[in-house]
Amino acid sequence: MTVALEQTPTAQYWQWQGWRIHYVQKGEQGPCVVLLHGFGASTDHWRKNIEELSQYYRVWAVDMLGFGRSEKPDMDYTGDLWRTQMQAFCEEVIQEPVFIAGNSLGGYASLCFAVDCPRWTRGVILLNCAGSFAEVEPKPELSAWRQQLQERRKTVMRSRPVINVMSYFLFNRMRKPENIRKALSQVYKDQSAVTDRLVEEIYQPSLDKGARGVFAGVFKSPPGRKLDDLLQSLGCPLFLLWGSADPWMTPQKAEKFQQFYPAADLVLVDAGHCPHDERPEVINAELHRWIQQQL
């Protein structure tokens, strides 16, 4: 399978709980496939995949609340929030069960959706999924006063005023185009894939009203469910499509997914954190192959 010529699908909007949600749709036949982006990205990050996949499937790429062209309300942002968003999207817009694929943070949201909404899930594809496993190594014992001190430090660092101040400076620094490019260069193996267009697609939504609040909202939100807990409750086919050169979500993490969910299929791709953008010809072919096996 080769990468089809990129064509930007028409922007569409859907009202969810009073918020405006942006999505794009392409394809008129075949099973339904939903694509969820990672932190700071948008439906634009799937532009190398939508056209090709839409030749075989009905494809939806959705901007999760707080990102892309969707609204950015001041609230806590969690996997459960996006799970609820996607459940409503399937019920109201798609109206059929879906194969859901997510990269990074979108992978975590996809996993939450697959666990909690089995009626709407035919299979889940995780591309370098974010989230953490429960601690399995025993922690060294600390004296009572040191434990108290550590807890107080954690409480202060997690307090909303501290997070708001820290996020203000960090957000203003990170959203500069040169810093976006630098961050992408650290997690893309193929540096030629870090284009001006990619940087601009990530930069533009950061100018929207509420964008800084979203940045803070992700970090001050309650910790989500651990990956091992989610996997123990998963009941549908799971495909791990993993960029093997990702310095954040390493291949060892993908192997840990298989430890907790032995039925999962795993394919390592010679790419970094966003293999669908860096190696679309491989990801498109592997997605198509795996979905066909589930039918």
Side-chain angles (χ1 to χ4, degrees):
M1 184 182 290
T2 58
V3 180
L5 182 65
E6 293 174 26
Q7 295 180 11
T8 304
T10 303
Q12 300 185 61
Y13 291 90
W14 164 66
Q15 287 292 125
W16 177 60
Q17 297 186 0
W19 296 306
R20 196 168 183 242
I21 303 297
H22 170 262
Y23 70 96
V24 296
Q25 194 281 322
K26 195 166 182 64
E28 300 178 355
Q29 60 185 355
C32 301
V33 176
V34 172
L35 307 173
L36 293 185
H37 58 82
F39 182 82
S42 68
T43 57
D44 292 335
H45 212 192
W46 295 102
R47 57 183 165 77
K48 299 176 184 177
N49 314 101
I50 294 171
E51 183 68 25
E52 180 70 32
L53 294 174
S54 68
Q55 297 181 33
Y56 310 94
Y57 308 104
R58 288 169 286 164
V59 181
W60 284 262
V62 184
D63 280 341
M64 297 190 295
L65 185 67
F67 295 104
R69 297 171 184 84
S70 289
E71 281 197 72
K72 300 169 177 62
D74 184 11
M75 61 190 302
D76 289 350
Y77 286 88
T78 65
D80 289 343
L81 170 73
W82 296 310
R83 177 276 325 276
T84 305
Q85 175 190 341
M86 293 315 304
Q87 180 180 0
F89 189 81
C90 287
E91 291 173 349
E92 299 176 21
V93 179
I94 300 178
Q95 299 182 344
E96 287 185 40
V98 304
F99 289 97
I100 187 166
N103 172 233
S104 193
L105 183 63
Y108 182 77
S110 298
L111 185 57
C112 291
F113 171 83
V115 168
D116 295 342
C117 308
R119 174 188 169 193
W120 294 101
T121 310
R122 300 183 68 176
V124 59
I125 303 100
L126 303 180
L127 298 91
N128 296 66
C129 182
S132 61
F133 289 91
E135 292 288 342
V136 294
E137 295 294 330
K139 294 181 179 180
E141 290 190 16
L142 300 174
S143 61
W145 72 269
R146 288 193 67 184
Q147 286 181 347
Q148 272 191 340
L149 181 61
Q150 283 196 1
E151 288 303 317
R152 286 177 182 174
R153 283 176 178 168
K154 289 179 182 179
T155 300
V156 170
M157 293 304 292
R158 290 175 182 167
S159 69
R160 290 174 181 262
V162 171
I163 290 175
N164 287 337
V165 171
M166 291 176 63
S167 65
Y168 174 81
F169 291 104
L170 186 58
F171 174 76
N172 286 333
R173 177 184 176 188
M174 289 303 298
R175 74 170 175 178
K176 293 179 179 179
E178 61 268 25
N179 289 331
I180 292 174
R181 183 181 296 277
K182 186 181 298 183
L184 290 169
S185 297
Q186 292 173 353
V187 297
Y188 271 61
K189 181 177 181 181
D190 180 3
Q191 297 299 298
S192 68
V194 183
T195 62
D196 291 343
R197 178 174 179 175
L198 175 61
V199 172
E200 186 68 14
E201 288 170 348
I202 294 175
Y203 172 68
Q204 281 300 323
S206 73
L207 303 177
D208 291 350
K209 178 182 177 182
R212 184 178 65 82
V214 174
F215 188 84
V218 171
F219 291 103
K220 67 187 178 186
S221 62
R225 286 173 283 177
K226 297 298 184 181
L227 293 172
D228 40 315
D229 290 337
L230 289 167
L231 291 170
Q232 288 170 9
S233 301
L234 184 65
C236 70
L238 171 62
F239 187 26
L240 305 168
L241 260 177
W242 220 265
S244 60
D246 185 354
W248 293 345
M249 313 298 173
T250 64
Q252 288 71 35
K253 184 173 185 179
E255 292 167 2
K256 200 164 186 179
F257 269 91
Q258 283 193 308
Q259 291 175 20
F260 285 98
Y261 205 79
D265 296 308
L266 170 62
V267 170
L268 295 177
V269 181
D270 187 25
H273 186 62
C274 307
H276 60 293
D277 185 53
E278 194 175 340
R279 297 293 305 278
E281 73 288 353
V282 175
I283 297 303
N284 294 342
E286 289 292 345
L287 270 172
H288 180 55
R289 177 191 63 79
W290 185 81
I291 291 175
Q292 289 300 306
Q293 289 178 349
Q294 312 311 312
L295 301 180

